[in-house]
């Protein structure tokens, strides 16, 4: 990549707004590799705030105590997922010749998570309103909230991936393909994230009598994908498609 | 064959010219807003919203005196919503009118407050460049413009309210829904015009791509707030029902006639 194109080594996120609207500048800063430690610390703090806001909003359906638990669990969820995926994502980005050092991969991951959690944080007042005003215990309301949270998550995910794509393009420079590394990173994070979220459940409610920081009955065990398959199979059996 | 080709090319050329001409044509309201922007005389915020939107667009763009504009917009939105709230509640007597006058501003301004973070963050994420104050002013601009329409419709709604009997409750609900919908459409249209005006001025202040999505979000939040802070129209001798539920339930009840 042309070194002249990599100017603007100053911190790109003087404000949250500037950080959000300039993925290219963030990418160039990461490519420059200067003061990445401070940059990563700032991103972690920003991501933490967004994740905690979203966690508190999601958990508020059940009540204040559960909201505090999900407030703590949400940043843990993002952090554990990143911790587990980090090595593979770094390998993908190194093999694709986009980054050279782990700090850069960390900065890319944190920036993407920051955008996602900032979007979720921005939507948390809306979800909070629906959570505190939805009837409980009520399975339909629970499913409605589940759907609303999934939609918000999808929207935040789209913003995060879009930001990641812009960042990768700025870091890689012209001529380096970024589509496949992008797809791989997203798939890896999503694949692991679904399982981490599953074992850290309940999130929205404990309508199935799940109590505690995590469900004591299932412990930190369970499989998201077999769980989804079982639900799908049950649905097919109940509708009479299979016997 | 050649003649046919010539005719086709001529038609294509004429079509191209028409498209270019249409694209370069500036709508009349934009030039009016631009002229408004040059004016410097002080006007009340309500008059500016209705007659001189260009001056507000100018101030929003320059970021000049935004604190005062935000304060004035909030006060006007509060007053207009309180008035319309009183009209809604007057169906069930003075006590409910007072309750609704207190609650309806909460519905409008509370929704604006709840949706402000998503407005700012989404606009930033698609590359637009509003500051938080500008985003706040834009959201309040929409809310206050809606409030002015509510203010304009308040005498009509009031007349129907005092002249209708108790069995006309569903008609009045429909009337209020139509009035509030019209008010919100007016406010959203103003915001959309602001965005187009800024685009014309080549100021990347707001993005139209997320504005539509945000408008939907705002409407959903207004509906839920209205349901949550109910009852607004029918008196139940309580300030807040305190019942948790989704606004969809109320819509269902309205159409099925159940309660």
């Amino acid at each position: 990549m042309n070194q002249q194109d990599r100017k603007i080594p100053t911190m790109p996120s003087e404000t949250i707004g500037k950080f959000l609207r300039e993925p290219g500048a963030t990418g160039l800063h990461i490519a420059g590799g200067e003061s990445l430690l401070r940059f990563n610390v700032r991103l972690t703090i920003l991501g933490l705030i967004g994740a905690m806001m979203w966690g508190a909003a999601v958990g508020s359906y059940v009540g204040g105590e559960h909201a505090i638990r999900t407030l703590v669990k949400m940043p843990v969820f993002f952090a554990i997922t990143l911790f587990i995926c980090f090595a593979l994502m770094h390998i993908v980005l190194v093999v694709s010749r986009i980054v050279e050092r782990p700090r850069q991969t960390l900065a890319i991951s944190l920036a993407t998570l920051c955008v996602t959690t900032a979007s979720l944080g921005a939507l948390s007042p809306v979800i909070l309103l629906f959570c505190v005003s939805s009837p409980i215990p009520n399975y339909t309301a629970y499913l409605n909230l589940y759907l609303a949270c999934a939609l918000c998550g999808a929207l935040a995910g789209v913003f995060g991936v879009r930001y990641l794509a812009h960042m990768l393009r700025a870091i890689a420079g012209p001529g380096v393909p970024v589509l496949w590394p992008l797809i791989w990173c997203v798939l890896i994070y999503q694949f692991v994230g679904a399982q981490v979220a599953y074992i850290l459940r309940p999130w929205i409610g404990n309508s199935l009598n799940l109590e505690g920081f995590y469900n004591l009955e299932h412990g930190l065990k369970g499989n998201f994908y077999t769980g989804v398959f079982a639900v799908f199979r049950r649905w097919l059996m109940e509708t009479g498609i299979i016997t | 064959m050649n003649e046919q080709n010539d005719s086709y090319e001529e038609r294509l050329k004429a079509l191209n010219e028409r498209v270019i001409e249409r694209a370069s044509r500036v709508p009349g309201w934009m030039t009016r807003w631009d002229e408004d922007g040059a004016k410097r005389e002080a006007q009340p915020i309500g008059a500016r919203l209705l007659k001189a939107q260009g001056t507000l667009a100018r101030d929003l763009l320059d970021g000049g005196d935004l604190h005062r504009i935000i304060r004035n917009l909030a006060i006007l939105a509060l007053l207009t919503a309180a008035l319309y709230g009183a009209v809604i509640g007057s169906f069930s007597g003075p006590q409910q009118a007072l309750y609704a006058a207190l609650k309806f501003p909460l519905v409008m301004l509370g929704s604006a407050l709840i949706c402000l973070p998503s407005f700012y963050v989404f606009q930033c994420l698609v590359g637009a460049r509003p500051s938080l104050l500008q985003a706040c002013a834009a959201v309040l601009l929409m809310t206050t413009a809606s409030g002015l329409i509510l203010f304009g419709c308040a005498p009509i709604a009031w007349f129907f309210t005092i002249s209708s009997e108790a069995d006309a409750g569903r008609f009045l609900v429909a009337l209020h829904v139509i009035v509030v919908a019209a008010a919100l459409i007016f406010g959203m249209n103003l915001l959309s015009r602001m965005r187009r005006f800024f685009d014309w001025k080549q100021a990347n202040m707001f993005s139209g791509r997320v504005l539509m999505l945000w408008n939907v979000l705002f409407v959903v939040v207004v509906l839920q707030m209205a349901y949550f802070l109910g009852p607004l129209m029918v008196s139940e001798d309580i300030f807040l029902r305190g019942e948790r539920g989704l606004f969809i339930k109320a819509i269902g009840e309205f159409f099925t006639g159940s309660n």
Side-chain angles (χ1 to χ4, degrees):
Chain A
M1 174 177 178
N2 186 352
Q3 287 301 315
Q4 279 185 335
D5 292 342
R6 290 191 174 184
K7 281 182 178 176
I8 325 174
T10 51
M11 182 71 177
S13 54
E14 290 298 323
T15 62
I16 296 172
K18 197 180 172 195
F19 164 73
L20 292 175
R21 75 174 73 95
E22 291 180 1
T26 309
L28 291 174
H29 181 76
I30 294 169
E34 289 167 29
S35 60
L36 273 186
L37 186 63
R38 202 177 60 158
F39 181 70
N40 286 342
V41 170
R42 283 188 185 192
L43 287 178
T44 307
I45 293 167
L46 184 60
L48 202 66
I49 294 167
M52 285 168 84
M53 280 173 71
W54 176 247
V58 164
S60 63
Y61 176 57
V62 173
E65 200 184 329
H66 187 66
I68 293 169
R69 285 178 187 147
T70 47
L71 177 144
V72 176
K73 276 202 288 184
M74 193 59 78
V76 171
F77 155 68
F78 281 111
I80 289 178
T81 311
L82 180 61
F83 181 73
I84 295 168
C85 300
F86 184 75
L88 188 56
M89 291 203 301
H90 182 58
I91 290 168
V92 169
L93 292 179
V94 169
V95 170
S96 311
R97 303 196 177 192
I98 292 173
V99 301
E100 289 164 0
R101 287 179 294 167
R103 264 186 195 182
Q104 289 176 312
T105 306
L106 183 65
I108 291 169
S109 316
L110 285 176
T112 311
L113 287 181
C114 240
V115 169
T116 309
T117 54
S119 307
L120 290 172
L123 285 166
S124 58
V126 178
I127 288 297
L128 180 69
L129 168 71
F130 279 90
C131 280
V132 297
S133 59
S134 290
I136 184 168
N138 184 309
Y139 195 61
T140 312
Y142 172 75
L143 289 181
N144 284 336
L145 285 175
Y146 205 89
L147 186 67
C149 289
L151 282 174
C152 290
L155 188 66
V158 167
F159 279 127
V161 172
R162 190 174 168 275
Y163 195 92
L164 176 64
H166 282 292
M167 250 190 327
L168 290 183
R169 255 182 240 129
I171 296 167
V176 180
V178 296
L179 182 64
W180 280 109
L182 175 78
I183 291 172
W184 277 115
C185 285
V186 171
L187 279 180
I188 293 163
Y189 196 87
Q190 187 278 327
F191 182 75
V192 177
Q195 174 65 5
V196 176
Y198 190 76
I199 61 162
L200 287 176
R201 73 192 189 279
W203 292 100
I204 297 171
N206 46 11
S207 54
L208 297 172
N209 298 322
L210 311 179
E211 297 288 346
F213 189 77
Y214 60 87
N215 177 11
L216 292 173
E217 203 174 300
H218 67 66
L220 286 174
K221 281 180 183 168
N223 187 296
F224 171 77
Y225 298 96
T226 54
V228 167
F229 179 71
V231 170
F232 185 62
R233 192 163 172 272
R234 193 177 143 193
W235 178 74
L236 286 176
M237 282 171 77
E238 282 185 5
T239 50
I241 296 171
I242 60 168
T243 53
Chain B
M1 191 67 179
N2 274 344
E3 273 178 20
Q4 265 185 347
N5 275 346
D6 286 350
S7 151
Y8 174 73
E9 276 173 15
E10 275 170 19
R11 271 189 292 158
L12 194 68
K13 198 177 163 189
L15 186 69
N16 268 341
E17 280 169 3
R18 272 214 304 277
V19 169
I20 290 166
E21 193 226 321
R22 196 169 289 176
S24 59
R25 203 188 297 158
V26 178
W29 64 266
M30 275 195 191
T31 46
R32 279 198 302 278
W33 280 30
D34 204 25
E35 287 161 13
D36 288 345
K39 292 175 190 167
R40 290 284 158 190
E41 73 262 35
Q43 280 181 313
I45 197 84
R48 289 173 75 185
L49 265 171
L50 295 173
K51 296 185 294 189
Q53 298 93 337
T55 59
L56 281 171
R58 176 201 63 208
D59 286 350
L60 202 62
L61 195 59
D62 298 346
D65 214 6
L66 273 182
H67 283 101
R68 195 173 58 85
I69 290 174
I70 287 171
R71 192 190 63 216
N72 290 348
L73 284 172
I75 291 169
L76 189 58
L78 191 81
L79 292 176
T80 51
L83 178 75
Y84 196 78
V87 170
I88 294 175
S90 62
F91 178 69
S92 301
Q95 189 192 23
Q96 185 59 25
L98 179 67
Y99 285 170
L102 293 172
K103 285 193 283 186
F104 198 63
L106 277 178
V107 172
M108 296 300 285
L109 286 169
S111 304
L113 193 66
I114 284 173
C115 293
L116 174 64
S118 48
F119 182 85
Y120 176 65
V121 169
F122 291 175
Q123 288 293 342
C124 287
L125 280 170
V126 290
R129 299 183 165 272
S131 67
L132 190 58
L133 269 184
Q134 285 168 325
C136 184
V139 171
L140 273 177
L141 210 74
M142 190 200 76
T143 315
T144 313
S146 305
L148 286 177
I149 298 299
L150 292 177
F151 176 73
C153 294
I156 300 166
W158 172 76
F159 170 67
F160 274 96
T161 304
I162 59 151
S163 59
S164 298
E165 290 177 335
D167 61 355
R170 288 176 75 196
F171 168 81
L172 287 174
V173 170
L175 179 74
H176 291 312
V177 167
I178 290 168
V179 168
V180 173
L184 287 177
I185 288 169
F186 178 78
M188 286 167 183
N189 186 46
L190 181 71
L191 196 57
S192 169
R193 280 195 166 190
M194 275 291 170
R195 197 265 307 163
R196 281 156 64 195
F197 181 71
F198 292 145
D199 282 355
W200 180 58
K201 287 281 192 183
Q202 296 180 334
N204 186 18
M205 178 80 86
F206 303 124
S207 164
R209 277 187 291 176
V210 290
L211 205 54
M212 188 62 84
L213 179 78
W214 184 83
N215 284 342
V216 174
L217 186 76
F218 187 79
V219 171
V220 169
V221 170
V222 166
L223 288 170
Q224 183 64 14
M225 283 288 276
Y227 184 81
F228 188 48
L229 295 174
L232 288 170
M233 199 177 98
V234 182
S235 175
E236 293 173 12
D237 287 330
I238 43 166
F239 184 69
L240 270 179
R241 197 185 292 132
E243 183 193 329
R244 293 169 70 150
L246 276 180
F247 68 91
I248 298 163
K249 188 182 160 197
I251 295 172
E253 282 172 1
F254 176 77
F255 283 110
T256 55
S258 61
N259 198 3

